[in-house]
Amino acid sequence: MRPTIFRTAQAGLSCTTLRPLSRAQVPKLIYSSLRRTLSATPVRRDEDSRKWSTPLAKQLFEAINITGPIPLASYMRMCLTSDVGGYYTGAIEPGRDQFGQKGDFITSPEISQVFGELIGIWFVAEWMSQGHPRTGVELIEVGPGRGTLMDDILRTIRNFKDMASAIDAVYMVEASKELRAAQKALLCGEDAALRESKEGWHSTCKYSDLPIVWTDSIKAVPPSASKTPFIVAHEFFDALPIHAFQVVEVPPTQHPVTSSGSPRSASSNTSSPTRQWREMVVSPTPEGTTHADLGTPPASRHEPVPEFQLTLSPSQTRHALYLPESSPRYRALRSTPDALIEVCPDASLYVSDFATRIGGSPAHPKPHPSGAALILDYGPADAIPTNSLRGIRQHARVSPFADPGRVDLSADVDFLALVEAATRASEGVECHGPVDQARFLETMGIAQRADMLAKKAGDDGPRRAEIERAWKRLVDRGPGGMGKVYKALAILPENGGGRRPVGFGGDIGGA
């Protein structure tokens, strides 16, 4: 599960709120002006005795002290999944998790059960549209959080006996040991047996004898041309590490030097500035730095100065040489002064895996493509994300560069990049969307389902009011509303555009 230009990324911004926030409802942070500092801050040896906020902060400092400033993606990866107190791997204090009102943010399945029920209905509709396969169906969720979404999906699908009996297994792709335990307790029961194998961890669903398998990687889920995988990724892609780049003008060179140190020929000299991509990198904030040094807005100066900062690499990194050249959408921006982009290679890897499971590939042929993937997350529908890094703690925005391991980090999803990667990975798939979450849920019948629940609540006024408040929040189209900010994207077997899925302008079995 797993939302700037530059002015205050180093600064710890904060706000208060009276209700739990989803990640996308946390305002984006504004990075610090990189035009003021085009070189990475050197690490000073006298900082070895510096006191750090978390064990991970100290480890980050020590790593940067050896290697130099690190890519933003490396920083995010360590903050979220490091063995030394990563956000999802043990940094959260006992008795508190990341989700819900007592955590740091709230997700759609936690807001209303109707959300998960409609996702379950969507997969039932796809199963019906693809000929009611009697065996070989798999349910796969990546980034399952506490397991609430899959619990609602399974509870819904069991009402459709033929599909329920067609499911061979449920796969939960989760890297966090703590979250795997929470998912197992919800889906199987606290006392259910758990068996470990080379594939992962195995237990049995509380609703039936359906096997549930946990893996820490999507690659551990065995691919098979005979299977029909139904894959869901809700607020997963936003938590994957991003690389950030900016276009800079490189001054003309008078006496260029090769990597061996010898001058190049005069014909290779450049007499006019050229533009190239430079990567944004993370380095420690020098000890003694003040909010005034960082340009922190006065309203946010009550927070401690963040221990890390974002700067622009003084030369091209290896990532800057190829990632901004990996798509024509990125290449088109190199001629734009100061253009900014965010690129998520991990997102491309995951969605490519989804696509090949559904449609096959030259390496893994699938004569009869089948299955579907549904991605729900936040980000622009038709633009490249820029400056979207967020830090959130206890439903308030904070600097993403403070308290590493104790702050949730996320960034906008590049939906068009997902479409590019999926269709490039497999000729056997096509994509639909993205569409606004409000449109998707309303088409799926959220109002009607909520009305049924309200009627069941009878004379319980507070319960009826809560049901209405929850579903309307999911489809809120106002500024920053979940119905507008969140998007849905579907990956289906290629059919020449002859059938649109439910929720994307189509119906069961037809356009």
Side-chain angles (χ1 to χ4, degrees):
M1 294 216 179
R2 227 41 54 334
T4 94
I5 185 130
F6 302 115
R7 219 171 15 158
T8 59
Q10 302 101 314
L13 305 184
S14 66
C15 67
T16 57
T17 178
L18 295 179
R19 70 173 184 177
L21 292 178
S22 70
R23 280 173 170 158
Q25 291 174 308
V26 177
K28 302 174 185 178
L29 294 181
I30 310 288
Y31 294 156
S32 110
S33 177
L34 300 181
R35 297 181 181 84
R36 289 186 294 123
T37 172
L38 291 181
S39 62
T41 304
V43 179
R44 300 200 311 243
R45 294 290 177 181
D46 60 0
E47 292 189 2
D48 288 346
S49 60
R50 182 173 175 178
K51 292 184 178 180
W52 299 94
S53 61
T54 66
L56 180 56
K58 186 174 187 292
Q59 185 188 60
L60 281 163
F61 166 77
E62 291 172 346
I64 294 171
N65 200 21
I66 296 172
T67 67
I70 59 176
L72 178 58
S74 298
Y75 174 81
M76 288 183 67
R77 194 183 311 279
M78 292 186 71
C79 287
L80 294 175
T81 59
S82 170
D83 291 338
V84 182
Y87 183 76
Y88 289 108
T89 48
I92 300 298
E93 48 266 30
R96 188 177 76 86
D97 63 23
Q98 298 90 344
F99 310 98
Q101 295 188 7
K102 295 182 179 179
D104 291 321
F105 57 89
I106 193 165
T107 62
S108 297
E110 309 287 342
I111 293 173
S112 173
Q113 70 180 68
V114 179
F115 181 85
E117 291 171 349
L118 295 182
I119 302 305
I121 292 295
W122 190 86
F123 284 118
V124 171
E126 270 307 302
W127 172 78
M128 295 172 66
S129 295
Q130 295 184 32
H132 303 76
R134 297 299 180 183
T135 61
V137 173
E138 297 174 331
L139 294 181
I140 304 172
E141 183 176 6
V142 291
R146 291 194 297 202
T148 305
L149 176 58
M150 183 57 73
D151 186 55
D152 289 335
I153 290 173
L154 291 173
R155 181 171 47 78
T156 300
I157 290 178
R158 69 174 177 164
N159 294 314
F160 299 84
K161 305 301 183 183
D162 288 345
M163 181 177 178
S165 64
I167 300 174
D168 287 351
V170 176
Y171 289 92
M172 306 285 279
V173 181
E174 178 58 68
S176 167
K177 177 181 177 181
E178 291 76 15
L179 289 177
R180 287 197 299 265
Q183 294 156 17
K184 181 259 182 186
L186 178 62
L187 299 177
C188 307
E190 292 277 359
D191 300 326
L194 187 67
R195 176 177 61 86
E196 186 173 358
S197 72
K198 291 182 179 180
E199 188 179 60
W201 299 265
H202 305 251
S203 193
T204 303
C205 178
K206 66 185 180 183
Y207 296 122
S208 64
D209 59 356
L210 184 65
I212 299 182
V213 184
W214 282 266
T215 70
D216 56 11
S217 167
I218 187 73
K219 296 300 182 184
V221 180
S224 174
S226 65
K227 299 296 185 181
T228 300
F230 289 120
I231 307 166
V232 62
H234 175 255
E235 287 204 54
F236 171 74
F237 285 93
D238 65 271
L240 296 179
I242 60 169
H243 291 265
F245 303 94
Q246 182 175 15
V247 171
V248 300
E249 284 201 352
V250 180
T253 58
Q254 299 302 318
H255 300 286
V257 176
T258 66
S259 58
S260 63
S262 59
R264 287 190 180 135
S265 64
S267 62
S268 65
N269 291 353
T270 59
S271 57
S272 59
T274 59
R275 294 192 180 106
Q276 63 179 218
W277 292 102
R278 294 287 174 85
E279 185 168 13
M280 299 173 194
V281 292
V282 177
S283 61
T285 304
E287 195 165 22
T289 299
T290 66
H291 282 303
D293 296 330
L294 299 177
T296 306
S300 302
R301 294 189 179 185
H302 62 282
E303 297 284 347
V305 174
E307 295 161 299
F308 296 89
Q309 61 180 340
L310 200 62
T311 58
L312 199 62
S313 175
S315 60
Q316 281 195 301
T317 64
R318 61 187 179 91
H319 298 110
L321 290 173
Y322 74 89
L323 285 179
E325 301 298 320
S326 63
S327 167
R329 299 168 62 232
Y330 307 148
R331 292 195 294 270
L333 290 174
R334 194 169 71 170
S335 61
T336 303
D338 303 318
L340 304 166
I341 61 171
E342 293 170 355
V343 183
C344 184
D346 285 10
S348 295
L349 293 175
Y350 271 97
V351 81
S352 295
D353 183 280
F354 298 174
T356 57
R357 289 177 188 274
I358 296 166
S361 68
H364 300 284
K366 190 171 185 178
H368 303 288
S370 63
L374 183 62
I375 298 168
L376 300 110
D377 226 310
Y378 49 84
D382 55 4
I384 300 170
T386 61
N387 308 318
S388 70
L389 182 65
R390 292 168 171 83
I392 180 172
R393 188 176 187 186
Q394 297 179 340
H395 303 282
R397 58 178 182 175
V398 297
S399 170
F401 301 106
D403 291 331
R406 293 178 182 162
V407 172
D408 177 50
L409 303 181
S410 66
D412 284 358
V413 175
D414 187 345
F415 283 97
L416 291 188
L418 298 184
V419 172
E420 278 187 352
T423 52
R424 184 171 58 243
S426 176
E427 294 183 353
V429 301
E430 62 184 31
C431 297
H432 294 264
V435 299
D436 289 351
Q437 177 171 286
R439 174 185 167 186
F440 174 77
L441 293 178
E442 287 171 352
T443 304
M444 292 298 300
I446 189 171
Q448 292 81 359
R449 175 56 181 158
D451 185 59
M452 290 175 60
L453 290 177
K455 289 179 179 178
K456 287 183 178 180
D459 295 331
D460 188 343
R463 174 59 181 155
R464 292 169 64 93
E466 173 59 22
I467 291 170
E468 182 175 8
R469 183 202 64 80
W471 81 262
K472 288 187 175 179
R473 181 179 179 186
L474 294 177
V475 298
D476 179 11
R477 288 186 170 88
M482 297 182 73
K484 180 178 181 180
V485 174
Y486 284 79
K487 309 291 191 302
L489 174 71
I491 305 174
L492 301 184
E494 203 282 328
N495 63 78
R499 178 182 70 84
R500 292 184 180 183
V502 177
F504 295 83
D507 205 339
I508 299 174

